[in-house]
Amino acid sequence: MCGICGIVSLSNQVIEQSFIKKMCHQILHRGPDAEGYYVKENIALGMRRLRIIDLNTGDQPIFNEDKSMCIVFNGEIYNFKELKKDLIQKGHKFYTSSDTEVILHLYEEYGEKCLDKLRGMFAFALWDKKEKKLFLARDRLGIKPLYYAILPKYFLFASELKSILIFPDIKKELDFTAMSDFFTFLYIPAPRTIFKNIYKLLPGHYLTVKENGKMEIRKYWDLNFAEKPLGNENDYLEKFLEIFEEAVKLRLISDVPLGAFLSGGTDSSLVVAMMSKLSNKPVETFSIGYEGRDKYFDERQYSRIVAKKFNTNHHEFILKPNNIDELVEKIITHFDEPFADASAIPNYILSKETRKYVTVALSGLGGDELCAGYERYLGCLLAEKYRRLPNFLTKKIIPALVNHLPDSSQGNHFNERLKRFVKSANYPFLQRYFQIVATFNEEEEKKQLFTPEVQKFIQRPSDEIFYDYCPNTNHPHLNNMSLIDFKTYLVDDLLTLTDRMSMAHALETRVPFLDHKLVEFFVTIPAHLKLKGLNKKYLLKKTAERLLPKEV
């Protein structure tokens, strides 16, 4: 795991090495073990390395045989040994044991189609000296970040915004449309950032920059929710277990200590169960607990049950209310733009404490989007039945009663969810789902929040994002909600949060539920096997019955 950055001079000016070193210094926390640079005339690449695989010879940049190409890479390629074997048979010669070098030779062999063969999480930059071309790519689900900026004389890229912002030609101008999106979602959806002319490369996309300054972005992979018959319920379950076990096994490849986050929920518990099956020693597991009024969120009783069942070396850490103020400023510096998911705080603490024991941690992240685990999915579908009630109930009596319910101060959000359900239920499907997830809505609150002068700079309403990602509302509503979350909430909230809070402490996080082969299988499963009646995560829970204690 690393941090990468780079500069291309579009006017063929010589780049000073001091620029790329300053950019690298901003992301030192991502890679405290080593640094490396490639600076030649109008191109500069830099990286900070956290050593995970090939501790001795894997420092970057890495070159091909004739040094006509080089690469800087952030991530892990889990099938690199298999790919390397094939490349050696084709005549390629390797001087390291790293997964980074495999990408370079794959590109030599297959060009931009090399991305189709990679299984893992990645963001990398490859410089092709002969073609005078920079090739940037981001993994299919957006697990690893990649930002870029387009200036009159330069093209810049980096793992974090702070590396780009340090460049002297950057103007820190506010993107008002991104700001509007933030007040809707509490994060900023890609490809925008809070700054004009700085963007996030979308998941499943690559970008090329040529010597003449011509830039091109292309999509190489996408989700396709197309249900395919496989057989009965048990057939789907068996297939899921087969791919899930493979996904976890691949993520156990490491030359440094490795463990798992264990919340006590179904997703993280299944990851630990599979790790225990595949490991020849006890798994290191890590949980966070809460004191004060946040005890409502404390699930340590379940993580302890799982830890006992699988005989893990279990570690617990407590988040106390009086710790929080001193953390906020540190956390803000790692996001570089507005971000308002409060779970950043426990994630920061959990990552900090976990790093004292291991360098890599597996996570259950992605299970809710993949397997239909959110209450809002259930609420949006139940609204179809609610809408059949008489209008005098749904538009007058019930809203009047619900709006008088008090908000909870103890962490139980049932009343708030009920209010949001009643408020959104009468909208058509996509607009209803938008109303459920939006913090400030478009019709009333945004107009009160922003002055008329600011509103002139907002280029489009935030709900257009949902229509962009979900043009076909004829698909099952559950699949459309999952698709929207994969494109927005998962990548720009949850994965961003996980990456920043773990890399703040040089901890690598791996997410088996977001193995692209597992995702490709799950999007073919009929919606009724994911959400059955009122039972969320139906297929996953049926799987869990085989592996986990009944209480979980």
Side-chain angles (χ1 to χ4, degrees), residues 221-233 235-237 239-240 243 369-371 475-476 478-480 482-483 486 515-530 539:
W221 184 89
D222 204 356
L223 285 166
N224 181 20
F225 278 83
E227 297 181 1
K228 297 177 182 176
L230 183 65
N232 58 31
E233 182 180 296
D235 294 327
Y236 285 102
L237 194 154
K239 184 68 174 176
F240 163 67
I243 304 174
E369 290 78 13
L370 197 64
C371 312
H475 289 166
L478 179 64
N479 289 347
N480 280 329
S482 181
L483 174 63
F486 264 103
D515 180 278
H516 82 271
K517 290 187 179 294
L518 185 64
V519 172
E520 288 173 344
F521 166 67
F522 238 89
V523 298
T524 68
I525 296 175
H528 73 269
L529 289 180
K530 302 173 191 174
L539 190 71

Side-chain angles (χ1 to χ4, degrees), residues 280-343:
N280 56 11
K281 60 183 180 180
V283 177
E284 301 286 336
T285 55
F286 306 90
S287 300
I288 194 158
Y290 302 87
E291 289 188 350
R293 69 181 187 180
D294 293 321
K295 282 185 177 180
Y296 174 81
F297 295 106
D298 198 326
E299 297 180 323
R300 282 178 296 160
Q301 59 176 316
Y302 300 110
S303 60
R304 288 168 184 168
I305 292 169
V306 175
K308 183 177 180 181
K309 164 76 174 176
F310 297 106
N311 192 33
T312 73
N313 290 331
H314 190 55
H315 311 268
E316 293 182 353
F317 318 112
I318 304 298
L319 176 61
K320 299 178 181 179
N322 59 1
N323 293 147
I324 292 173
D325 288 352
E326 62 192 57
L327 298 178
V328 171
E329 189 170 343
K330 293 178 183 178
I331 289 171
I332 287 170
T333 64
H334 286 285
F335 285 108
D336 300 326
E337 64 177 348
F339 186 87
D341 188 332
S343 60

Side-chain angles (χ1 to χ4, degrees), residues 323-378:
N323 293 147
I324 292 173
D325 288 352
E326 62 192 57
L327 298 178
V328 171
E329 189 170 343
K330 293 178 183 178
I331 289 171
I332 287 170
T333 64
H334 286 285
F335 285 108
D336 300 326
E337 64 177 348
F339 186 87
D341 188 332
S343 60
I345 296 169
N347 272 269
Y348 183 90
I349 294 292
L350 181 60
S351 295
K352 179 182 178 181
E353 297 301 324
T354 298
R355 185 61 175 87
K356 296 175 181 177
Y357 299 88
V358 298
T359 311
V360 177
L362 273 65
S363 164
L365 188 67
D368 285 317
E369 290 78 13
L370 197 64
C371 312
Y374 290 126
E375 293 284 346
R376 60 178 180 264
Y377 294 168
L378 189 59

